[in-house]
Amino acid sequence: MPMTRTRTTRNRSGRRSGTRGRIAAIVATLSVVIGGATTVPAAVAAAPAGRVPLPYLMADTGGGDQLITAVAPGTGSTTGTVTWWQWHKGRWRQAGSAPARFGSRGLTEGSTREQGTSTTPTGLYDLPFAFGIAPAPDGTTTPYRRVGPDSWWCEDNASTSYNRWVEPLPRDCAAAESERLADYPVQYSRALVTGFNYHRPVHGRGAGIFLHVNGKGATAGCVSVPAGAMAQILSWVRPSAHPHIAIGTAHGQTAITRY
């Protein structure tokens, strides 16, 4: 996609360690040189380190104008916060926030995750499409597939349809190794597919990692939010804004600022 200088600069703020000089680093890496003059968003230059909008602290936000962050306190956490951000008039603005749930066994680095571990993969991912048993919320513009009785997500490692929506279930995809989406009327009432292991699937890495509506507790590896928040997100997401989701922890090797 085309990238302006401003967008490239703000999406590559670099990695930092510790708090000393953090604001100076942010200011330096967010600076945009225009005709020999350096300008920085005033809100960023003046804000204390703890109040700088999260996207500014990240190594990459995906190059778009919309970003969803899903942050857990640590890798052993099963709860945290999902926040959605909009790039507007030269700065990142928070558009909404909601409590989030993660995998029942916490989070793990996405590039080394293994299927069946009930962990949520950290990383930065695009959002290919949405789906749901319920109709798309008013204002939804992202591609939205309605779930029917023969809608499945193939999670069979031996199948050529691994980590894909299939309808009906192919012969080489075992039902016992897959999800019949209609069997989860609450969680899959509405959902967004994440790009984790989607575009070039690595068998055994994991399949069916979504942002979806809360069930009764922690997930099997997805990120979930209350139904109202899921509806707000779907109404807000715009494919033309190249939205991404960044999943990570507050600190450590899987810190969200790494992505």
Side-chain angles (χ1 to χ4, degrees):
M1 77 192 81
M3 303 257 301
T4 66
R5 178 177 294 179
T6 301
R7 183 173 297 169
T8 302
T9 303
R10 66 178 170 83
N11 285 333
R12 287 289 179 186
S13 56
R15 300 180 185 178
R16 285 163 294 284
S17 60
T19 58
R20 180 175 296 179
R22 178 173 290 180
I23 291 299
I26 295 170
V27 169
T29 55
L30 290 175
S31 297
V32 181
V33 179
I34 304 176
T38 300
T39 61
V40 180
V44 176
R51 297 183 183 178
V52 174
L54 180 56
Y56 287 117
L57 303 177
M58 295 173 60
D60 193 358
T61 62
D65 292 333
Q66 291 184 323
L67 175 71
I68 301 170
T69 56
V71 187
T75 54
S77 304
T78 59
T79 60
T81 304
V82 159
T83 306
W84 45 109
W85 307 85
Q86 183 76 45
W87 180 256
H88 180 68
K89 293 185 178 180
R91 67 181 64 177
W92 284 107
R93 299 175 185 267
Q94 181 175 316
S97 183
R101 297 174 182 173
F102 299 94
S104 61
R105 296 184 64 185
L107 296 84
T108 192
E109 172 60 52
S111 62
T112 56
R113 181 184 186 269
E114 295 181 4
Q115 185 164 327
T117 56
S118 294
T119 53
T120 298
T122 62
L124 178 71
Y125 309 109
D126 66 350
L127 300 165
F129 66 93
F131 68 87
I133 296 169
D138 291 343
T140 300
T141 58
T142 198
Y144 190 91
R145 298 184 182 181
R146 290 295 298 276
V147 172
D150 270 338
S151 303
W152 292 75
W153 199 271
C154 181
E155 299 179 4
D156 185 346
N157 274 290
S159 175
T160 56
S161 299
Y162 180 66
N163 202 20
R164 286 291 182 273
W165 170 298
V166 290
E167 198 171 43
L169 193 67
R171 290 185 177 181
D172 73 339
C173 187
E177 300 292 328
S178 303
E179 284 189 334
R180 183 175 176 268
L181 300 178
D183 290 343
Y184 302 88
V186 175
Q187 295 93 322
Y188 295 158
S189 57
R190 290 176 174 138
L192 263 171
V193 177
T194 78
F196 169 73
N197 202 33
Y198 183 78
H199 300 288
R200 294 184 178 87
V202 176
H203 291 241
R205 182 63 46 78
I209 300 299
F210 312 129
L211 173 63
H212 63 68
V213 174
N214 283 340
K216 292 182 178 180
T219 73
C222 295
V223 180
S224 72
V225 293
M230 192 71 238
Q232 289 179 45
I233 291 169
L234 286 173
S235 297
W236 166 80
V237 167
R238 293 287 181 269
S240 60
H242 306 289
H244 285 71
I245 184 169
I247 305 169
T249 55
H251 308 286
Q253 293 299 310
T254 52
I256 196 166
T257 51
R258 292 181 56 224
Y259 306 110

